[in-house]
Structures are given as C-alpha cells and as structure tokens.
Amino acid sequence: MATFPAIQASYPVEKTSQPNVRTVELGDGYQHRIMFGLIDNQTVKIFNLQWVNLSEADADTIETFLYARANDQASFDFTPPEEASSMKFICKTWRKTIPYPTYATIRATFEQVFEP
C-alpha cells in the first residue's frame, strides 16, 4: 500500500461527506430511505485539496505519485488536514498550474475508498 508523500496541503481544505443512501419510491410520493453498506463504510468523504506555491521538485513528487496510482489503479493512504487518522483514497482528477517560474500549484480531489 502506497502512502502519499509527506507534503502538507494548503488551506482552505474542502471536505464533502456523501452518505450511501438507497431510496425506494413508494406510491403517493412516499419514500423509504436506508443506509447502505457496513456501519463504518456508509459515508464517503471527498477532499478537495491544494498545494500552493510548491517548489517544482515537490510538485513533481506529487504528480509522479498520482500518475503511478493512476497507472496501477491502487488506492493510497493519506491523512487529511485536521483528521486524526489516515484513510484510503483514490485520486481521479488533479491539475497543475505554474503561476511563475520554479513554483507550481496542484489541486486534487481525493475520494475515500473502503478496502481491507
């Protein structure tokens, strides 16, 4: 299992919680909603992260890591800012901007996955 490089994300960090709810539509507009999955795995957390004004070397480290995970389709361990423990994530999307020479900004979306 790979661990994300020890490069701290910049603030602000955006966290979205997405409960895994199944809804059954009944007659006359009634709905029955139930949580789906194991108790600990019912709410997926999605983090929109950014690393601002990184050195080109740190930006390359992050990008190389994310490309490797995209190629092997493996999840990775990461401890989000202000969270007590690490979680498993995948990253489907990231982008790099170079605002001025030798510095870069990376923005990425980390989606929590539940694996053994």
Side-chain angles (χ1 to χ4, degrees):
M1 176 63 52
T3 300
F4 191 79
I7 302 171
Q8 293 298 315
S10 304
Y11 286 91
V13 172
E14 181 180 297
K15 175 183 174 182
T16 303
S17 296
Q18 187 175 21
N20 192 0
V21 176
R22 297 290 194 249
T23 303
V24 177
E25 300 283 336
L26 304 170
D28 296 332
Y30 289 100
Q31 293 181 341
H32 179 68
R33 292 169 302 282
I34 57 172
M35 294 296 283
F36 189 76
L38 300 173
I39 290 176
D40 291 339
N41 300 349
Q42 292 177 342
T43 301
V44 174
K45 294 171 186 66
I46 300 167
F47 288 86
N48 289 317
L49 302 162
Q50 60 183 354
W51 292 264
V52 179
N53 293 334
L54 290 172
S55 68
E56 194 62 45
D58 283 347
D60 288 345
T61 299
I62 291 173
E63 266 203 310
T64 300
F65 179 86
L66 293 175
Y67 277 122
R69 298 299 69 75
N71 288 335
D72 65 15
Q73 291 298 299
S75 61
F76 55 89
D77 290 329
F78 175 70
T79 304
E82 307 301 325
E83 295 289 327
S85 60
S86 70
M87 300 174 220
K88 294 184 186 306
F89 290 95
I90 57 171
C91 180
K92 297 178 186 175
T93 304
W94 69 90
R95 71 182 174 201
K96 176 182 177 180
T97 56
I98 303 170
Y100 41 91
T102 70
Y103 287 94
T105 296
I106 293 181
R107 290 178 175 81
T109 300
F110 286 9
E111 183 178 327
Q112 185 182 21
V113 294
F114 301 102
E115 299 173 345

